[in-house]
Amino acid sequence: MTFRMLDGSKRRHVEPVQKSFIIGDTIIFLAGDAKTCFNIASEFDREKTKNITVFRRILKKHNRGLAERYSGERQDMPLNAILFKMDQSGRTVSHTFLPSSHFNPVTRRGTDGGVHIVTGGYEADKVLTRALQTWDDGKDTGEFIRELFEEFSGAEIGGELDLFEFNVNGAYYLGRQRLNETPHIETITVEETLALSAGLVGGTVTGALIRTAAANRRIEVDAQGLRTYDANGTNRIRINTGSDNGVSAITFFGTGGSTAGEINSYQNSGGISLISSDVFIGSNNTGNPIRLQGAVTIDGTVEFRREVTGLNVGIGSVTGLQTQLDEIWAKLNNHTHDVTLPTHNHGNSANQNWGGTFTTSRSA
């Protein structure tokens, strides 16, 4: 990344800045303010519908934001983009968006089996003219691109190249090549940049993206929050900074990228929710494993698969139980029944014959 210092001189960061992205089946190249470029890609990635109309809307919105931030200096920070896809015939399609044309896309289609050359960013027209003049079908594409940019390297073009390839199966990242820059301009590291702004203690570090690696297993931090990625580059944990619904959340994803669950807190509830299609809470401490402190509400059926001990539930705490017991005791207290015996003298005619119906009653 090349940028201008406060004294007007130019410096280039030793560390690269990401301005090219694979989002779904689309490759996106962005040029301009680094933080704005990353925010454009992130916002487009979150859209449910991904097409050139949505992309243009996002570009225009962020371009207006640049105009407000830089005012008269905006001409030094042009924002433009190229969106690459592949059509049903297997041909590369490019959509170029420039502020000079109000970001109305200029669409070009490559030939079957041919190389589709498109350039963007600083001195894009000069680079494209030179590329069309010097392209050789017999040369390795990656080597041709590297030599082309080395020819134009200098104060504005340099650093490293990200290489991508399309085929019928989608878009792929091939890798990164370092340019042999001529002439070089003075470089500066992140540590030196921090030293210019009061260092780490008492200073403020502002950037578009902080990450531990460019791909595979890594942690990334930006304005949208914090994300962790596994060795396959799949986002596994995401901590959002917020949303339009006033919810902050830690979201978990499976190895395939699908949502596994989240821990969230809505601004109006004041509580924390643990949500998933399958929640397991376990403990390896069998002596004092899992404790719940405070009132507990269970909205659903409960199944105990082992013996339950130490259960202390008052009758009044079981909804409806006391009422049922009171009704049973009321019936017992007021219960009577009749016993009828036949007239008999136990086989002795001298005895008095007796018999009849007798009513029983509850004794205290």
Side-chain angles (χ1 to χ4, degrees), residues 339-358:
V339 176
T340 301
L341 297 176
T343 299
H344 60 285
N345 56 15
H346 297 277
N348 186 347
S349 59
N351 291 336
Q352 180 182 356
N353 289 326
W354 63 277
T357 300
F358 305 90

Side-chain angles (χ1 to χ4, degrees), residues 91-104:
R91 295 179 300 176
T92 302
V93 181
S94 65
H95 306 282
T96 303
F97 303 83
L98 300 172
S100 57
S101 59
H102 304 287
F103 295 104
N104 291 313

Side-chain angles (χ1 to χ4, degrees), residues 324-338:
Q324 291 290 329
L325 292 176
D326 291 342
E327 291 179 357
I328 292 173
W329 278 113
K331 291 181 178 180
L332 290 175
N333 289 332
N334 298 295
H335 174 71
T336 61
H337 63 271
D338 296 333

